[in-house]
Amino acid sequence: MSKQLFLPLQLPDDEVFDSFIAGANQQVVSHLQDWLNGKNSTPFLTYISGDSGTGKSHLQYSLCSEAATLGLTCAYVGFKNLTDLHPDLLADLEQVAVICLDDVHLLEGHPQWQTAVFDLINRVRERGRSRLLVSGLQGPAQLPLALADLRSRLSWGVSFHLRPLDDEGRVEALRGRAHRRGMGMPLEVARFLLNHCHRDMPALLAVLDRLDATSLQEKHRLTIPFVKKVLDL
């Protein structure tokens, strides 16, 4: 198999380990980096749980990006667009060095998919040459999946639960994302957004998208008066 990135969806090129604001989750980042580089002897499977916006997908993208940098074959399969995919997509993925399965909780009510993931885990374990990273909202035992054997298989590896960023972490993440887009975001603007918008990261990043588009259109730097006008605050 050629050394290529298997992507049903194009991954964001700015969501890498260096851009991940770890906060209280540094142990997870260190584990994934060491795991990929063979510096620890943990099982072939790592499971990450956490609420929406805590960075599960970011870490999946980061692992794929790092694997590609190391010349490893890698595959990312996100289940948010499950109706556009087919379980056959997982066939032969055990041949890939790094496999990322994102949002496994969305397999609720999809027995064929649950069986396909179960079979993939078994093949990966038998072959013994791949790293498998799986994410979901809940821990393996709490997943709303009818196939109990799949929940059991997902418990075979190391599990981590991501904790949300504190306010300073959110500010750092927001300013970092703005900087990577070529936008200068003063500290006072980031704190203003945190105090006047929904505080979860998906909502804050959606606000950043809006500000980015408007600031480009109007060629205006980010200031508190400008933010108030754009967001009608």
Side-chain angles (χ1 to χ4, degrees):
M1 181 175 292
S2 60
K3 291 182 178 179
Q4 59 186 0
L5 197 63
F6 177 89
L7 299 175
L9 298 173
Q10 183 62 46
L11 301 185
D13 58 9
D14 62 342
E15 298 204 12
V16 295
F17 284 125
D18 284 347
S19 65
F20 185 78
I21 307 303
N25 302 307
Q26 184 56 52
Q27 182 185 7
V28 187
V29 177
S30 298
H31 163 79
L32 291 176
Q33 291 175 318
D34 290 345
W35 187 54
L36 184 63
N37 287 280
K39 294 181 180 178
N40 60 37
S41 58
T42 54
F44 70 95
L45 191 151
T46 294
Y47 186 94
I48 296 175
S49 62
D51 294 338
S52 177
T54 50
K56 299 185 300 296
S57 294
H58 191 145
L59 289 175
Q60 296 254 1
Y61 304 152
S62 299
L63 194 70
C64 280
S65 176
E66 188 73 11
T69 299
L70 295 172
L72 299 173
T73 53
C74 49
Y76 170 88
V77 181
F79 294 126
K80 286 183 179 177
N81 298 304
L82 197 61
T83 56
D84 297 329
L85 306 174
H86 190 277
D88 287 349
L89 184 68
L90 304 185
D92 297 324
L93 276 193
E94 69 276 8
Q95 306 294 326
V96 177
V98 177
I99 308 159
C100 292
L101 304 180
D102 205 1
D103 292 319
V104 72
H105 59 278
L106 296 178
L107 300 185
E108 180 182 9
H110 297 275
Q112 286 185 309
W113 271 103
Q114 293 178 38
T115 299
V117 173
F118 171 80
D119 290 340
L120 174 63
I121 294 172
N122 287 335
R123 296 196 308 270
V124 169
R125 187 191 189 195
E126 289 171 6
R127 190 167 185 268
R129 299 180 184 176
S130 303
R131 295 279 192 265
L132 178 60
L133 175 63
V134 184
S135 77
L137 285 179
Q138 306 94 338
Q142 290 75 43
L143 285 169
L145 304 178
L147 186 57
D149 284 344
L150 174 56
R151 297 197 304 272
S152 175
R153 293 296 186 275
L154 291 171
S155 301
W156 273 355
V158 178
S159 292
F160 295 94
H161 184 76
L162 294 179
R163 285 177 280 178
L165 292 172
D166 60 16
D167 284 355
E168 287 306 306
R170 290 186 179 97
V171 166
E172 184 180 356
L174 197 57
R175 296 185 74 201
R177 183 66 65 93
H179 175 75
R180 289 190 296 278
R181 293 185 178 196
M183 305 167 61
M185 177 177 286
L187 181 59
E188 63 269 19
V189 171
R191 287 178 173 164
F192 178 85
L193 291 174
L194 202 65
N195 290 329
H196 292 84
C197 301
H198 290 293
R199 303 168 74 85
D200 62 280
M201 286 309 301
L204 288 170
L205 294 178
V207 168
L208 182 61
D209 288 339
R210 187 174 171 186
L211 293 173
D212 190 9
T214 308
S215 66
L216 284 173
Q217 182 180 4
E218 299 187 13
K219 296 181 172 58
H220 199 293
R221 63 190 179 88
L222 292 183
T223 62
I224 290 179
F226 176 72
V227 168
K228 286 182 176 180
K229 184 183 77 169
V230 173
L231 302 181
D232 195 25
L233 296 174

